[in-house]
Amino acid sequence: MKSKKKVFWLALMILLILSTGITVQAATRNMYIGQTYKLKVSGARKWVSKNKKIAQVKQNGIVIPKRAGKTFIKVYKKKGYQKIWINVKKPYINKKKITLNPGQTYKLKLNGTKVVLWKTSRKSVATVTKNGVVRAKKAGTVTITCRGRNKKTYKCTVNVKKKTVAPTPTPSPSPTPVPQVTSDPAYNGKRPVLISHRGYRKIAPENTLAAFRTAAEYGYKAVECDIHFTKDNVPVIIHNATTEQTSNGHGKIKLYTYEEARQLDFGSWKSPMYTGEKIPSFEEFLILCRQYGLHPYVELKNCYGMNRENIAKMYDIACSVNMEDEISWFSFGYAFMEMVRDVDPTADVGYITSSHISEAILQRMRNLQTPENTVTLYCYSSSISPELLEVCKRDKIEMVARAVSTEAVYQSLDPYYKGALTDSVLNKEISIIK
């Protein structure tokens, strides 16, 4: 008897539902702000949103999500109505922070809107494809930015770990001790490398491709240049802030766009044979160094445009021509070297000083050090006492001598110096460095 009653009441409830036209609620639908959705309900006569601040609905069933939240759309029919629950979300990137090892990849995905562009802040650390695949390259931190069709940007921070090196097995003890070769430059049997200051400017116009090419032809293995920025923030090679000394231009280089600066003659002031020589871009300089096997020493001047953003831009240029690991960066501006170190913790960064080498300066050099980089003090050799030299050796502060003008001065340098900036000493005249 009880079972018959249950069947009766169940049948009655079904009959009531059918007579009133109320349909059973479907699963909640996810929708994203910035997109529109078309709902299809057979026999719909009227559409109403329960909360218009979360989602609006038009009378043709098109839903426009407005704000994150949950609500329902009521669809009226000839008999009764139907509720459609919706969950409105903001578009989001699937990961905001990831950690990878060099060589690993990870697929980033933007949910809720279509991707317009993927971009990496540092290609040398990690790259990203148009499909959002991140590939880690070397140790460092990089920001992957995604721009959606909704004109908003979404970011993911990628931390690439330092590549771990397997420990070398300890060799069996030998009955006869073998002398070990130290990596200290003071004992490697080499002399400091001569660095052609602004290129070989005794013959060619300084800081031009002709000067750097001539330096290579005379046997130099390293060249030095100076960086300024044009009005449109292109890094170019020029020593002075003004153009008068080395070109037919007038006024400061920062007042010229790059294309305008390229119209100037940077060669005829030296010799008619160099008429039409152009101001080199930083990229052109690096490409020439790569072609001739020259080590680039790059001085960052305290000038217009020298800031963290443009230093990172220069590093990206170096990466684009595969020269990021070959450059020695240095400056009178200590803060610029901090920026270079932050952009590339493995870079060779240096500080120039014309004064007495104090403990404060040495501490600054120590502060620039990272577990992976080298730091270099650019100084006059006459200001370095034997005691100070030993401190630099102990603290692994490398050294470059400034203004080495004669072979005698060069020969007097301690072997610990890794380089010597010169305007006049020729590689061909010094056989010992061959």
Side-chain angles (χ1 to χ4, degrees):
M1 187 68 179
K2 287 182 179 181
S3 60
K4 290 183 178 180
K5 286 184 177 181
K6 286 182 180 180
V7 172
F8 171 78
W9 285 111
L10 181 60
L12 182 61
M13 288 176 66
I14 294 172
L15 182 62
L16 288 170
I17 290 172
L18 292 174
S19 64
T20 56
I22 300 175
T23 58
V24 178
Q25 174 187 329
T28 301
R29 304 189 186 190
N30 290 321
M31 298 183 179
Y32 292 92
I33 298 170
Q35 299 198 59
T36 58
Y37 300 83
K38 174 70 174 179
L39 297 178
K40 294 182 179 180
V41 177
S42 178
R45 293 191 171 189
K46 185 179 180 181
W47 302 78
V48 177
S49 171
K50 174 63 176 177
N51 190 332
K52 293 181 179 180
K53 291 183 179 180
I54 294 177
Q56 297 177 359
V57 62
K58 295 183 178 181
Q59 293 309 306
N60 57 359
I62 293 178
V63 179
I64 306 170
K66 305 294 289 185
R67 191 177 71 184
K70 193 171 183 179
T71 187
F72 63 82
I73 303 296
K74 186 179 283 188
V75 187
Y76 289 92
K77 302 180 180 181
K78 184 176 181 180
K79 290 185 178 180
Y81 60 86
Q82 176 182 347
K83 284 184 180 180
I84 302 175
W85 284 90
I86 60 174
N87 185 26
V88 177
K89 300 180 179 181
K90 294 180 180 179
Y92 65 96
I93 197 167
N94 60 333
K95 286 285 186 179
K96 291 187 177 181
K97 189 173 183 179
I98 56 176
T99 299
L100 301 173
N101 292 314
Q104 282 188 318
T105 60
Y106 188 88
K107 170 75 172 177
L108 290 176
K109 183 180 179 182
L110 183 62
N111 297 294
T113 187
K114 289 189 176 181
V115 175
V116 175
L117 178 69
W118 288 99
K119 187 177 180 181
T120 176
S121 63
R122 292 176 62 190
K123 292 180 181 178
S124 62
V125 175
T127 59
V128 61
T129 68
K130 62 181 181 180
N131 297 320
V133 177
V134 178
R135 178 176 294 276
K137 297 181 70 177
K138 72 173 188 177
T141 302
V142 63
T143 301
I144 303 297
T145 304
C146 172
R147 190 167 75 245
R149 184 174 286 181
N150 58 359
K151 299 182 179 180
K152 295 184 181 294
T153 56
Y154 305 86
K155 297 181 179 181
C156 173
T157 300
V158 179
N159 179 38
V160 182
K161 292 181 178 179
K162 181 181 176 181
K163 186 180 291 186
T164 56
V165 180
T168 304
T170 304
S172 302
S174 173
T176 304
V178 179
Q180 299 297 309
V181 178
T182 175
S183 61
D184 190 330
Y187 301 95
N188 65 10
K190 294 182 180 179
R191 298 295 298 162
V193 174
L194 280 170
I195 306 162
S196 185
H197 186 226
R198 307 182 204 171
Y200 194 58
R201 55 182 178 147
K202 286 182 69 175
I203 295 177
E206 67 174 53
N207 273 325
T208 62
L209 296 184
F212 302 127
R213 195 179 299 113
T214 303
E217 291 168 355
Y218 270 88
Y220 283 94
K221 302 302 181 185
V223 290
E224 182 268 356
C225 75
D226 307 279
I227 299 292
H228 280 264
F229 287 88
T230 59
K231 185 178 181 179
D232 47 350
N233 286 313
V234 176
V236 291
I237 313 301
I238 184 173
H239 180 267
N240 292 355
T242 55
T243 58
E244 286 89 349
Q245 183 181 350
T246 55
S247 79
N248 60 347
H250 299 281
K252 295 184 176 181
I253 190 66
K254 71 177 183 180
L255 300 178
Y256 289 82
T257 65
Y258 176 64
E259 289 304 320
E260 290 169 345
R262 292 284 282 186
Q263 304 309 310
L264 301 179
D265 179 358
F266 277 82
S268 60
W269 68 272
K270 187 71 175 180
S271 168
M273 69 180 293
Y274 294 108
T275 298
E277 191 73 24
K278 305 295 184 184
I279 187 172
S281 68
F282 178 58
E283 182 176 7
E284 286 178 316
F285 168 73
L286 291 182
I287 291 173
L288 183 141
C289 288
R290 186 182 65 191
Q291 291 173 340
Y292 283 84
L294 295 169
H295 183 101
Y297 281 77
V298 179
E299 180 180 348
L300 304 185
K301 309 297 283 187
N302 187 10
C303 64
Y304 163 83
M306 194 63 70
N307 53 44
R308 189 177 300 274
E309 181 180 356
N310 279 337
I311 286 174
K313 177 180 178 180
M314 290 179 64
Y315 181 72
D316 286 340
I317 291 172
C319 293
S320 70
V321 295
N322 297 317
M323 288 290 286
E324 69 272 20
D325 297 326
E326 309 301 325
I327 302 172
S328 293
W329 308 84
F330 66 106
S331 179
F332 281 100
Y334 182 79
F336 300 146
M337 290 301 97
E338 290 180 308
M339 295 175 192
V340 172
R341 177 202 59 196
D342 293 343
V343 168
D344 180 13
T346 68
D348 177 14
V349 292
Y351 181 54
I352 318 172
T353 177
S354 301
S355 60
H356 169 71
I357 311 300
S358 64
E359 176 57 31
I361 290 176
L362 292 173
Q363 187 56 49
R364 280 188 150 200
M365 302 305 297
R366 298 181 193 108
N367 292 342
L368 281 175
Q369 290 176 328
T370 72
E372 299 175 286
N373 75 351
T374 55
V375 299
T376 306
L377 183 63
Y378 292 72
C379 57
Y380 297 116
S381 59
S382 58
S383 65
I384 304 298
S385 65
E387 294 77 18
L388 188 56
L389 185 64
E390 290 304 314
V391 171
C392 290
K393 291 179 181 180
R394 181 197 69 196
D395 294 344
K396 298 182 179 179
I397 299 172
E398 298 187 358
M399 304 176 74
V400 167
R402 298 179 59 197
V404 176
S405 56
T406 66
E407 182 177 348
V409 174
Y410 173 77
Q411 297 290 5
S412 70
L413 293 176
D414 188 279
Y416 185 72
Y417 283 87
K418 69 177 180 182
L421 284 161
T422 182
D423 291 309
S424 54
V425 180
L426 290 175
N427 269 5
K428 288 184 177 179
E429 296 173 354
I430 303 178
S431 60
I432 194 171
I433 71 169
K434 294 284 185 161

